[in-house]
């Protein structure tokens, strides 16, 4: 391949190389968090673009470790797709050569995004969970993100029961049917939001709400993975033990943590980051109340998982190679 060529990697290729490889995704995401903590990454603020019916985010990033990678995640979110039976989000990743800047690959990043999000949540949960398995995991929002959360949490902490809460009963039922067929050892049960919050050992929020709707949570020691970032009122955040992926990122874009930091005028309610837990810089002591993990989700995680995909598809015959994609200016 010349450095003017470009690879195009479809979502089905990504699926074929990542399916059943939760170990590789977890390792890539762990290393990306540690690289970020070590100052080896760049991850400027997400740039949003709002259009009629949807929103887009441009997320450039780089990792400058032994296998440097530079790229951008361009993700569209159209909630209206759900009514038509489609998925809300579509992500595309563009990778550039770290030495010359030339484009190298265009990749469907939708599954990568879901898996890296779920892997990050599972890594954090494993670090603060009281035991090596979970009797119950509550999932609020029965979309593809929480499905991957179940996959990754179940990989690191085998789950017995999954309590499902969604505003749309049809989505709950479809999700439960998927769980029964793919995870026969896990028992799904439709629940209310209150039941989930009262009883699950850990609760993952992956809804599509944009305004906080939960103004109190039970004062018991359980873990909330606040993946959708905007369900919990700032007062709930302020009263909990908080872990984030990156303080600056999560204190932006009107997340619940951002709103809490504005109300309080500081970020001292954030105890540390997932990388701090991984490195031992933060010694977690289980509080009497909830622990809330709010991962903003940096594109370095997508690039880290993408490296796995690029490695595993390097000579795959089904990757589309566009010869001389980059034409240059001078003929
Ligand atoms: N933090 C990160 O790194 C990261 C990465 C990817 C996606 N996300 C977020 O994860 C969320 C879920 O993504 P998805 O693609 O699975 O979404 P989706 O739109 O497919 O599904 C969301 C589900 O939540 C349900 N819902 C909405 N409000 C609810 C409420 N109040 N109570 C219960 N259910 C409710 C909807 O009915 C829907 O079924 C989105 O908010 C997305 O922005 C975060």
């Amino acid at each position: 391949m010349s450095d003017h060529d470009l690879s195009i990697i479809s979502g089905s290729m990504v699926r074929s190389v990542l399916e059943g490889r939760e170990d590789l995704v977890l390792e890539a995401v762990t290393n990306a968090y540690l690289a970020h903590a070590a100052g080896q990454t760049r991850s400027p603020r997400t740039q949003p673009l709002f259009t009629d019916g949807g929103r887009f985010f441009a997320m450039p990033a780089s990792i400058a470790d032994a296998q440097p990678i530079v790229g951008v995640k361009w993700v569209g979110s159209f909630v209206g797709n759900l009514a038509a039976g489609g998925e809300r989000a579509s992500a595309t990743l563009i990778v550039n050569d770290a030495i010359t800047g030339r484009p190298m690959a265009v990749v469907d990043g939708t599954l990568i995004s879901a898996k890296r999000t779920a892997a990050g949540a599972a890594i954090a949960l494993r670090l603060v969970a009281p035991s090596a398995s979970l009797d119950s995991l509550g999932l609020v929002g029965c979309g593809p993100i929480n499905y991957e959360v179940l996959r990754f949490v179940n990989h690191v902490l085998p789950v017995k029961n999954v309590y499902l809460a969604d505003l749309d009963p049809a989505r709950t039922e479809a999700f439960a049917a998927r769980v029964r067929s793919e995870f026969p050892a896990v028992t799904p049960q439709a629940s209310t939001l209150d039941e989930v919050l009262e009883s699950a050992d850990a609760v993952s929020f992956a809804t599509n709400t944009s305004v906080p709707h939960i103004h109190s949570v039970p004062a018991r020691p359980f873990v909330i993975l606040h993946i959708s970032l905007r369900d919990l009122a700032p007062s709930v955040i302020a009263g909990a033990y908080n872990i984030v992926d990156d303080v600056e990122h999560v204190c932006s874009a009107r997340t619940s943590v951002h709103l809490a930091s504005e109300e309080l005028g500081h970020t001292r309610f954030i105890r540390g980051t997932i990388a701090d837990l991984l490195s031992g810089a933060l010694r977690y002591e289980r509080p009497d109340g909830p622990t809330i993990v709010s991962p903003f989700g940096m594109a370095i995680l997508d690039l880290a998982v993408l490296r796995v995909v690029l490695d595993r598809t390097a000579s795959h015959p089904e990757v589309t190679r566009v010869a001389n994609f980059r034409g240059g200016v001078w003929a």
Side-chain angles (χ1 to χ4, degrees), residues 14 25 29 56 141 148 161-162 188 239 244 310 323:
V14 171
V25 177
V29 170
F56 292 84
E148 289 301 313
N161 300 291
V162 65
V244 304
L310 293 175

Side-chain angles (χ1 to χ4, degrees), residues 55 73 77 79 82 87-89 113-114 116-117 140-146 165-168 171 193 205-209 213 226-231 295-298:
R55 31 184 203 150
K73 176 180 185 179
S77 171
V79 173
L82 297 186
E87 290 183 6
R88 182 189 53 78
S113 178
R116 64 75 149 148
T117 303
V140 183
C142 291
I145 295 295
N146 255 344
D166 195 293
L167 296 178
D168 179 351
R171 283 211 116 196
L193 177 57
F205 280 87
T207 71
N208 47 32
T209 195
H213 56 101
H226 192 202
I227 293 170
S228 34
L229 296 166
R230 296 175 185 85
D231 296 78
F296 189 80
M298 294 168 287

Side-chain angles (χ1 to χ4, degrees), residues 57-61 70-74 92-96 299 303:
F57 300 98
M59 303 166 72
V70 183
V72 63
K73 176 180 185 179
W74 176 238
T92 305
L93 295 164
I94 300 174
V95 194
N96 296 72
L303 293 186

Side-chain angles (χ1 to χ4, degrees), residues 3-265:
D3 66 356
H4 290 269
D5 298 353
L6 182 94
S7 298
I8 300 180
I9 302 178
S10 68
S12 62
M13 278 246 64
V14 171
R15 180 180 303 282
S16 73
V17 298
L18 292 184
E19 207 152 56
R21 296 316 308 262
E22 285 74 46
D23 55 339
L24 293 180
V25 177
L26 287 160
E27 185 186 5
V29 170
T30 298
N31 290 339
Y33 281 138
L34 293 173
H36 186 60
Q40 293 176 318
T41 64
R42 296 216 170 119
S43 168
R45 282 224 174 151
T46 297
Q47 187 65 45
L49 170 72
F50 296 92
T51 62
D52 292 341
R55 31 184 203 150
F56 292 84
F57 300 98
M59 303 166 72
S62 67
I63 308 175
D65 58 9
Q67 201 191 345
I69 184 164
V70 183
V72 63
K73 176 180 185 179
W74 176 238
V75 55
S77 171
F78 282 68
V79 173
N81 291 352
L82 297 186
E87 290 183 6
R88 182 189 53 78
S90 315
T92 305
L93 295 164
I94 300 174
V95 194
N96 296 72
D97 186 282
I99 310 288
T100 65
R102 289 181 182 146
M104 292 169 58
V106 175
V107 183
D108 176 44
T110 311
L111 186 65
I112 291 174
S113 178
K115 286 193 182 293
R116 64 75 149 148
T117 303
I123 288 164
L125 180 58
R126 185 185 49 196
L127 291 164
V128 297
S131 59
S133 63
L134 277 187
D135 184 67
S136 56
L137 173 67
L139 299 177
V140 183
C142 291
I145 295 295
N146 255 344
Y147 197 74
E148 289 301 313
V149 168
L150 171 60
R151 180 189 311 287
F152 278 85
V153 169
N154 190 47
H155 185 83
V156 300
L157 297 167
V159 175
K160 260 198 220 154
N161 300 291
V162 65
Y163 303 151
L164 306 174
D166 195 293
L167 296 178
D168 179 351
R171 283 211 116 196
T172 310
E173 191 34 57
F175 194 104
R178 272 181 187 274
V179 174
R180 278 185 215 103
S181 104
E182 197 183 352
F183 301 101
V186 180
T187 305
Q189 186 182 315
S191 306
T192 65
L193 177 57
D194 285 345
E195 286 165 352
V196 170
L197 287 172
E198 283 296 339
S199 53
D201 294 333
V203 179
S204 171
F205 280 87
T207 71
N208 47 32
T209 195
S210 53
V211 178
H213 56 101
I214 294 178
H215 297 277
S216 70
V217 296
R220 64 182 183 93
F222 70 121
V223 181
I224 298 178
L225 303 169
H226 192 202
I227 293 170
S228 34
L229 296 166
R230 296 175 185 85
D231 296 78
L232 305 175
S235 58
V236 173
I237 298 285
Y241 187 113
N242 289 282
I243 294 163
V244 304
D245 54 351
D246 180 280
V247 175
E248 195 184 327
H249 277 276
V250 83
C251 289
S252 72
R254 305 202 60 73
T255 67
S256 300
V257 176
H258 184 199
L259 299 180
S261 71
E262 285 190 335
E263 281 186 14
L264 296 173

Side-chain angles (χ1 to χ4, degrees), residues 268-321:
R268 291 193 296 278
F269 59 90
I270 300 173
R271 300 297 187 98
T273 64
I274 298 171
D276 292 335
L277 287 173
L278 281 167
S279 68
L282 175 65
R283 289 182 47 162
Y284 177 71
E285 280 175 24
R286 200 166 159 80
D288 294 337
T291 297
I292 301 179
V293 181
S294 300
F296 189 80
M298 294 168 287
I300 55 166
L301 305 185
D302 300 84
L303 293 186
V305 176
L306 178 56
R307 281 200 294 216
V308 175
V309 172
L310 293 175
D311 283 351
R312 291 170 63 83
T313 54
S315 52
H316 201 291
E318 282 171 36
V319 172
T320 305
R321 320 260 178 208

